[in-house]
Amino acid sequence: AEGSAGEDDLREGGLAVGGPLVGDDPERLMFRLAVRRHASDGFRKNATLGREDTNGRDEQAARLRLAYNPNEA
């Protein structure tokens, strides 16, 4: 897990977890989930639009990975 804060009301953070999904054979099926969020008000002034928050960001992302390793006979 990580997080940070800064100027222009910047807030961001992320979290990742993972592990086995099959208890008796932990390397057979594994997962990893990662989520991230980034938000800021922005700081550039846009004279055309008459706004000061045109490069503000409000983003979320998530990723799920599954790894399947079949047993060799």
Coordinates of all heavy atoms in Angstrom, one line a residue:
A1 N 0.8 -1.2 0.0 CA 0.0 0.0 0.0 C 0.9 1.2 0.0 O 2.0 1.2 0.6 CB -0.9 0.0 1.2
E2 N 0.4 2.3 -0.7 CA 1.2 3.5 -0.7 C 0.2 4.6 -0.9 O -0.9 4.5 -1.4 CB 2.2 3.6 -1.8 CG 1.6 3.6 -3.2 CD 2.6 3.7 -4.3 OE1 3.8 4.2 -4.0 OE2 2.3 3.4 -5.4
G3 N 0.6 5.8 -0.4 CA -0.3 7.0 -0.6 C 0.6 8.3 -0.5 O 1.7 8.2 0.0
S4 N 0.1 9.3 -1.1 CA 0.8 10.6 -1.0 C -0.2 11.7 -1.2 O -1.3 11.6 -1.7 CB 1.9 10.7 -2.1 OG 1.3 10.6 -3.4
A5 N 0.2 12.9 -0.8 CA -0.6 14.1 -0.9 C 0.4 15.3 -1.2 O 1.6 15.2 -0.9 CB -1.3 14.4 0.4
G6 N -0.1 16.3 -1.9 CA 0.8 17.4 -2.3 C 0.0 18.6 -2.7 O -1.2 18.8 -2.3
E7 N 0.7 19.5 -3.4 CA 0.1 20.8 -3.8 C -1.1 20.6 -4.7 O -1.2 19.5 -5.3 CB 1.2 21.7 -4.4 CG 2.3 22.1 -3.5 CD 3.3 22.9 -4.2 OE1 3.2 23.1 -5.4 OE2 4.2 23.4 -3.5
D8 N -1.9 21.6 -4.9 CA -3.0 21.6 -5.8 C -4.0 20.5 -5.4 O -4.7 19.9 -6.2 CB -2.6 21.4 -7.3 CG -1.7 22.6 -7.7 OD1 -2.1 23.7 -7.4 OD2 -0.7 22.3 -8.3
D9 N -4.1 20.2 -4.1 CA -5.0 19.2 -3.5 C -4.8 17.8 -4.1 O -5.7 17.1 -4.4 CB -6.5 19.6 -3.7 CG -7.4 19.0 -2.7 OD1 -6.9 18.5 -1.7 OD2 -8.6 18.9 -3.0
L10 N -3.5 17.5 -4.4 CA -3.1 16.2 -4.9 C -3.3 15.1 -3.8 O -2.9 15.3 -2.7 CB -1.7 16.2 -5.3 CG -1.0 14.8 -5.6 CD1 -1.7 14.3 -6.9 CD2 0.5 15.0 -5.8
R11 N -4.0 14.1 -4.2 CA -4.2 12.9 -3.4 C -4.1 11.7 -4.3 O -4.7 11.6 -5.3 CB -5.6 12.9 -2.7 CG -5.8 14.1 -1.9 CD -7.3 14.3 -1.6 NE -8.3 14.2 -2.6 CZ -8.6 15.1 -3.6 NH1 -7.9 16.2 -3.6 NH2 -9.5 14.9 -4.5
E12 N -3.2 10.8 -3.9 CA -3.1 9.5 -4.7 C -2.7 8.4 -3.8 O -2.1 8.6 -2.7 CB -2.1 9.7 -5.8 CG -0.7 9.8 -5.4 CD 0.2 9.9 -6.7 OE1 -0.2 9.6 -7.8 OE2 1.3 10.4 -6.5
G13 N -3.1 7.2 -4.2 CA -2.8 6.0 -3.4 C -3.0 4.8 -4.2 O -3.7 4.8 -5.2
G14 N -2.5 3.7 -3.7 CA -2.6 2.4 -4.4 C -2.4 1.3 -3.4 O -1.9 1.4 -2.3
L15 N -3.0 0.1 -3.8 CA -2.9 -1.1 -3.0 C -2.8 -2.3 -3.9 O -3.5 -2.3 -5.0 CB -4.2 -1.2 -2.1 CG -4.4 -2.4 -1.3 CD1 -3.4 -2.5 -0.2 CD2 -5.8 -2.4 -0.8
A16 N -2.0 -3.2 -3.5 CA -1.9 -4.5 -4.3 C -1.9 -5.6 -3.3 O -1.3 -5.6 -2.2 CB -0.6 -4.5 -5.1
V17 N -2.6 -6.7 -3.7 CA -2.7 -7.9 -2.9 C -2.6 -9.1 -3.8 O -3.0 -9.0 -5.0 CB -4.0 -8.0 -2.0 CG1 -4.1 -6.9 -1.0 CG2 -5.2 -8.0 -2.9
G18 N -2.2 -10.2 -3.3 CA -2.1 -11.4 -4.2 C -1.8 -12.6 -3.3 O -1.4 -12.5 -2.2
G19 N -1.9 -13.8 -4.0 CA -1.6 -15.0 -3.3 C -2.3 -16.2 -4.0 O -2.8 -16.1 -5.1
P20 N -2.2 -17.3 -3.4 CA -2.7 -18.6 -4.0 C -4.2 -18.6 -3.8 O -4.8 -18.1 -2.9 CB -2.0 -19.7 -3.2 CG -1.7 -19.1 -1.9 CD -1.5 -17.6 -2.1
L21 N -4.9 -19.3 -4.8 CA -6.3 -19.5 -4.7 C -6.7 -21.0 -4.4 O -7.8 -21.3 -4.1 CB -7.0 -19.1 -6.0 CG -7.0 -17.6 -6.3 CD1 -7.5 -17.3 -7.7 CD2 -7.8 -16.8 -5.2
V22 N -5.7 -21.9 -4.5 CA -5.9 -23.3 -4.2 C -5.0 -23.6 -3.1 O -3.8 -23.6 -3.2 CB -5.5 -24.1 -5.5 CG1 -5.7 -25.6 -5.2 CG2 -6.4 -23.7 -6.7
G23 N -5.6 -24.0 -2.0 CA -4.9 -24.2 -0.7 C -3.9 -25.4 -0.8 O -2.8 -25.3 -0.3
D24 N -4.3 -26.5 -1.4 CA -3.4 -27.7 -1.4 C -2.3 -27.7 -2.4 O -1.4 -28.4 -2.3 CB -4.3 -29.0 -1.6 CG -5.0 -29.0 -2.9 OD1 -5.2 -27.9 -3.5 OD2 -5.3 -30.1 -3.4
D25 N -2.4 -26.8 -3.4 CA -1.3 -26.6 -4.4 C -1.2 -25.1 -4.7 O -1.7 -24.6 -5.7 CB -1.7 -27.4 -5.7 CG -0.6 -27.4 -6.7 OD1 0.5 -26.9 -6.4 OD2 -0.8 -28.0 -7.8
P26 N -0.5 -24.4 -3.8 CA -0.5 -22.9 -3.8 C 0.1 -22.3 -5.1 O -0.3 -21.2 -5.5 CB 0.3 -22.5 -2.7 CG 1.0 -23.7 -2.1 CD 0.3 -24.9 -2.7
E27 N 0.9 -23.0 -5.9 CA 1.4 -22.5 -7.1 C 0.6 -22.8 -8.3 O 0.9 -22.3 -9.4 CB 2.9 -22.9 -7.3 CG 3.8 -22.4 -6.3 CD 5.3 -22.7 -6.5 OE1 5.6 -23.2 -7.6 OE2 6.1 -22.4 -5.7
R28 N -0.5 -23.5 -8.2 CA -1.3 -23.9 -9.3 C -2.2 -22.8 -9.9 O -2.2 -22.6 -11.1 CB -2.2 -25.1 -8.9 CG -3.0 -25.6 -10.1 CD -3.7 -26.8 -9.8 NE -4.2 -27.4 -11.0 CZ -4.6 -28.7 -11.1 NH1 -4.6 -29.4 -10.0 NH2 -5.0 -29.1 -12.2
L29 N -2.8 -22.1 -9.0 CA -3.7 -20.9 -9.4 C -3.4 -19.8 -8.4 O -3.7 -19.9 -7.2 CB -5.1 -21.3 -9.4 CG -6.1 -20.3 -9.8 CD1 -5.9 -19.9 -11.3 CD2 -7.6 -20.8 -9.7
M30 N -2.9 -18.7 -9.0 CA -2.5 -17.5 -8.1 C -3.2 -16.3 -8.7 O -3.5 -16.3 -9.9 CB -1.0 -17.4 -8.1 CG -0.3 -18.5 -7.5 SD 1.5 -18.4 -7.5 CE 1.8 -18.5 -9.3
F31 N -3.3 -15.3 -7.9 CA -3.9 -14.0 -8.3 C -3.1 -12.8 -7.8 O -2.4 -12.9 -6.8 CB -5.4 -13.9 -7.8 CG -5.5 -13.4 -6.4 CD1 -5.8 -12.1 -6.2 CD2 -5.3 -14.3 -5.3 CE1 -5.9 -11.6 -4.9 CE2 -5.4 -13.8 -4.0 CZ -5.7 -12.5 -3.8
R32 N -3.3 -11.7 -8.4 CA -2.8 -10.4 -7.9 C -3.8 -9.3 -8.4 O -4.2 -9.3 -9.5 CB -1.5 -10.1 -8.5 CG -0.9 -8.8 -8.0 CD 0.5 -8.6 -8.5 NE 1.0 -7.3 -8.2 CZ 1.6 -6.9 -7.1 NH1 1.7 -7.8 -6.1 NH2 2.0 -5.7 -6.9
L33 N -4.2 -8.5 -7.4 CA -5.2 -7.4 -7.7 C -4.5 -6.1 -7.3 O -3.9 -6.0 -6.2 CB -6.5 -7.6 -6.8 CG -7.4 -6.5 -6.9 CD1 -8.0 -6.3 -8.3 CD2 -8.6 -6.6 -5.9
A34 N -4.5 -5.2 -8.2 CA -3.9 -3.9 -7.9 C -4.9 -2.8 -8.2 O -5.6 -2.8 -9.2 CB -2.6 -3.7 -8.7
V35 N -5.1 -1.8 -7.3 CA -5.9 -0.7 -7.5 C -5.2 0.6 -7.3 O -4.3 0.6 -6.4 CB -7.2 -0.7 -6.7 CG1 -8.1 -1.9 -7.1 CG2 -6.9 -0.8 -5.2
R36 N -5.5 1.7 -8.0 CA -4.8 3.0 -7.8 C -5.8 4.1 -8.0 O -6.7 4.0 -8.9 CB -3.7 3.0 -8.8 CG -2.9 4.3 -8.7 CD -1.5 4.0 -9.1 NE -0.6 5.1 -8.7 CZ 0.0 5.2 -7.5 NH1 -0.3 4.3 -6.6 NH2 0.7 6.2 -7.3
R37 N -5.7 5.2 -7.3 CA -6.5 6.4 -7.5 C -5.6 7.6 -7.4 O -4.7 7.7 -6.6 CB -7.5 6.5 -6.4 CG -8.3 7.7 -6.4 CD -9.7 7.6 -5.7 NE -10.4 8.8 -5.4 CZ -10.9 9.6 -6.3 NH1 -10.7 9.4 -7.5 NH2 -11.5 10.7 -5.9
H38 N -5.9 8.6 -8.3 CA -5.1 9.8 -8.4 C -6.2 10.9 -8.6 O -7.0 10.9 -9.5 CB -4.2 9.8 -9.6 CG -3.4 11.1 -9.7 ND1 -2.1 11.2 -9.4 CD2 -3.8 12.3 -10.2 CE1 -1.7 12.4 -9.6 NE2 -2.7 13.1 -10.1
A39 N -6.1 12.0 -7.8 CA -7.0 13.1 -7.9 C -6.2 14.4 -7.6 O -5.4 14.4 -6.6 CB -8.1 13.0 -6.9
S40 N -6.4 15.4 -8.3 CA -5.8 16.8 -8.1 C -6.7 17.8 -8.7 O -7.5 17.6 -9.6 CB -4.4 16.9 -8.6 OG -4.4 16.8 -10.0
D41 N -6.7 19.0 -8.2 CA -7.5 20.1 -8.6 C -6.9 20.8 -9.9 O -7.7 21.4 -10.6 CB -7.6 21.2 -7.6 CG -8.5 20.8 -6.4 OD1 -9.2 19.8 -6.6 OD2 -8.5 21.4 -5.4
G42 N -5.7 20.6 -10.2 CA -5.1 21.3 -11.3 C -4.6 22.7 -10.9 O -4.9 23.2 -9.9
F43 N -3.8 23.2 -11.8 CA -3.2 24.5 -11.5 C -3.0 25.5 -12.7 O -2.7 26.6 -12.5 CB -1.8 24.3 -10.9 CG -0.8 23.6 -11.8 CD1 0.0 24.3 -12.7 CD2 -0.7 22.2 -11.8 CE1 0.8 23.6 -13.6 CE2 0.1 21.5 -12.7 CZ 0.9 22.3 -13.6
R44 N -3.4 25.0 -13.9 CA -3.2 25.9 -15.1 C -4.5 26.7 -15.3 O -5.6 26.2 -15.2 CB -2.9 25.0 -16.3 CG -1.6 24.4 -16.2 CD -1.2 23.7 -17.5 NE 0.0 23.1 -17.4 CZ 0.3 21.9 -17.8 NH1 -0.6 21.2 -18.5 NH2 1.5 21.4 -17.7
K45 N -4.2 27.9 -15.7 CA -5.4 28.8 -16.0 C -5.6 28.8 -17.5 O -4.7 28.9 -18.3 CB -5.1 30.3 -15.6 CG -6.2 31.2 -15.8 CD -5.9 32.6 -15.3 CE -7.1 33.5 -15.5 NZ -6.9 34.8 -15.0
N46 N -6.8 28.5 -17.9 CA -7.2 28.5 -19.3 C -8.0 29.7 -19.6 O -9.2 29.9 -19.3 CB -8.0 27.2 -19.6 CG -8.3 27.0 -21.1 OD1 -8.6 28.0 -21.8 ND2 -8.2 25.8 -21.5
A47 N -7.3 30.7 -20.3 CA -8.0 32.0 -20.6 C -9.2 31.8 -21.6 O -10.2 32.5 -21.5 CB -7.0 32.9 -21.2
T48 N -9.1 30.8 -22.5 CA -10.2 30.6 -23.5 C -11.4 30.2 -22.8 O -12.5 30.6 -23.1 CB -9.7 29.6 -24.5 OG1 -8.5 30.0 -25.2 CG2 -10.8 29.4 -25.6
L49 N -11.3 29.2 -21.9 CA -12.5 28.7 -21.1 C -12.8 29.5 -19.9 O -13.9 29.4 -19.3 CB -12.2 27.2 -20.7 CG -12.0 26.2 -21.8 CD1 -11.7 24.9 -21.2 CD2 -13.3 26.2 -22.7
G50 N -11.9 30.4 -19.5 CA -12.1 31.2 -18.3 C -12.1 30.4 -17.0 O -12.8 30.6 -16.1
R51 N -11.3 29.3 -17.0 CA -11.3 28.4 -15.9 C -9.8 28.2 -15.4 O -8.9 28.4 -16.2 CB -11.8 27.0 -16.2 CG -13.3 27.1 -16.5 CD -13.8 25.7 -17.0 NE -13.5 24.7 -16.1 CZ -13.5 23.4 -16.4 NH1 -14.0 23.0 -17.6 NH2 -13.2 22.4 -15.6
E52 N -9.7 27.9 -14.1 CA -8.3 27.6 -13.6 C -8.1 26.2 -13.2 O -7.1 25.9 -12.6 CB -8.1 28.5 -12.4 CG -8.1 30.0 -12.7 CD -7.8 30.9 -11.5 OE1 -7.4 30.4 -10.5 OE2 -8.0 32.1 -11.7
D53 N -9.0 25.3 -13.5 CA -8.9 23.9 -13.1 C -8.9 22.9 -14.3 O -9.3 21.8 -14.1 CB -10.0 23.5 -12.1 CG -11.3 23.6 -12.7 OD1 -11.5 24.2 -13.9 OD2 -12.3 23.2 -12.1
T54 N -8.4 23.4 -15.4 CA -8.6 22.6 -16.6 C -7.7 21.4 -16.7 O -7.9 20.5 -17.5 CB -8.4 23.4 -17.9 OG1 -7.1 24.1 -17.8 CG2 -9.5 24.4 -18.1
N55 N -6.6 21.3 -15.9 CA -5.8 20.1 -15.9 C -6.0 19.3 -14.6 O -5.1 18.5 -14.3 CB -4.4 20.4 -16.2 CG -3.6 21.0 -15.0 OD1 -4.2 21.7 -14.3 ND2 -2.4 20.6 -14.8
G56 N -7.1 19.4 -14.0 CA -7.4 18.6 -12.8 C -7.6 17.2 -13.2 O -8.0 16.9 -14.4
R57 N -7.3 16.2 -12.4 CA -7.4 14.8 -12.7 C -8.2 14.1 -11.6 O -8.1 14.4 -10.4 CB -6.0 14.2 -12.7 CG -5.2 14.7 -13.9 CD -3.7 14.3 -13.9 NE -3.5 12.8 -13.7 CZ -2.3 12.3 -13.6 NH1 -1.2 13.1 -13.6 NH2 -2.2 11.0 -13.4
D58 N -9.0 13.2 -12.0 CA -9.7 12.3 -11.1 C -9.8 10.9 -11.8 O -10.6 10.7 -12.7 CB -11.1 12.8 -10.9 CG -11.9 12.1 -9.8 OD1 -11.3 11.2 -9.2 OD2 -13.1 12.3 -9.7
E59 N -8.8 10.1 -11.5 CA -8.6 8.8 -12.2 C -8.6 7.6 -11.3 O -8.0 7.8 -10.2 CB -7.3 8.8 -13.0 CG -7.2 10.0 -14.0 CD -5.8 10.1 -14.6 OE1 -4.8 9.6 -14.0 OE2 -5.7 10.8 -15.6
Q60 N -9.1 6.5 -11.7 CA -9.0 5.3 -11.0 C -8.6 4.2 -11.9 O -9.0 4.2 -13.1 CB -10.4 4.9 -10.4 CG -11.0 5.9 -9.4 CD -11.8 6.9 -10.0 OE1 -12.4 6.7 -11.0 NE2 -11.8 8.1 -9.4
A61 N -7.9 3.2 -11.4 CA -7.5 2.1 -12.3 C -7.4 0.8 -11.4 O -7.2 0.9 -10.2 CB -6.1 2.4 -12.9
A62 N -7.7 -0.3 -12.0 CA -7.7 -1.6 -11.3 C -7.2 -2.6 -12.3 O -7.4 -2.5 -13.5 CB -9.0 -2.0 -10.8
R63 N -6.4 -3.6 -11.8 CA -5.9 -4.7 -12.7 C -6.0 -6.0 -11.9 O -5.6 -6.0 -10.7 CB -4.5 -4.4 -13.1 CG -3.9 -5.4 -13.9 CD -2.5 -5.1 -14.3 NE -1.6 -5.0 -13.1 CZ -0.4 -4.5 -13.2 NH1 0.1 -4.1 -14.3 NH2 0.3 -4.5 -12.1
L64 N -6.5 -7.0 -12.5 CA -6.5 -8.3 -11.9 C -5.7 -9.3 -12.8 O -5.9 -9.3 -14.0 CB -8.0 -8.8 -11.8 CG -8.2 -10.2 -11.3 CD1 -7.7 -10.4 -9.9 CD2 -9.6 -10.7 -11.4
R65 N -4.8 -10.0 -12.2 CA -4.1 -11.0 -13.0 C -4.2 -12.4 -12.3 O -4.2 -12.5 -11.1 CB -2.6 -10.6 -12.9 CG -1.7 -11.6 -13.7 CD -0.3 -11.1 -13.7 NE 0.3 -11.3 -12.4 CZ 1.5 -11.0 -12.1 NH1 2.3 -10.5 -13.0 NH2 2.0 -11.2 -10.9
L66 N -4.5 -13.3 -13.2 CA -4.6 -14.7 -12.7 C -3.5 -15.5 -13.4 O -3.2 -15.3 -14.6 CB -5.9 -15.4 -13.1 CG -7.2 -14.8 -12.5 CD1 -8.4 -15.4 -13.1 CD2 -7.1 -15.0 -11.0
A67 N -2.8 -16.4 -12.7 CA -1.8 -17.2 -13.2 C -2.2 -18.7 -12.9 O -2.3 -19.1 -11.8 CB -0.4 -16.9 -12.6
Y68 N -2.3 -19.5 -14.0 CA -2.6 -20.9 -13.9 C -1.4 -21.7 -14.3 O -0.9 -21.5 -15.4 CB -3.8 -21.2 -14.7 CG -4.1 -22.7 -14.8 CD1 -4.6 -23.3 -13.6 CD2 -4.0 -23.4 -15.9 CE1 -4.9 -24.7 -13.6 CE2 -4.3 -24.8 -16.0 CZ -4.8 -25.4 -14.8 OH -5.1 -26.7 -14.8
N69 N -0.9 -22.6 -13.5 CA 0.2 -23.4 -13.7 C -0.2 -24.9 -13.6 O -0.2 -25.4 -12.5 CB 1.4 -23.1 -12.8 CG 1.8 -21.7 -12.8 OD1 2.2 -21.2 -13.9 ND2 1.9 -21.0 -11.7
P70 N -0.6 -25.5 -14.7 CA -1.1 -26.9 -14.6 C 0.1 -27.8 -14.2 O 1.2 -27.6 -14.5 CB -1.5 -27.2 -16.0 CG -0.8 -26.3 -16.9 CD -0.5 -25.0 -16.1
N71 N -0.3 -28.8 -13.4 CA 0.7 -29.8 -13.0 C 1.1 -30.7 -14.2 O 0.2 -31.1 -15.0 CB 0.1 -30.8 -11.9 CG -0.2 -30.0 -10.7 OD1 0.4 -29.0 -10.4 ND2 -1.1 -30.5 -9.8
E72 N 2.3 -31.0 -14.3 CA 2.8 -31.9 -15.3 C 2.8 -33.3 -14.8 O 3.2 -33.6 -13.7 CB 4.2 -31.5 -15.8 CG 4.3 -30.1 -16.4 CD 5.7 -29.7 -16.9 OE1 6.5 -30.7 -17.1 OE2 5.9 -28.6 -17.1
A73 N 2.3 -34.2 -15.6 CA 2.2 -35.6 -15.2 C 3.3 -36.4 -15.8 O 4.0 -36.1 -16.7 CB 0.9 -36.2 -15.7

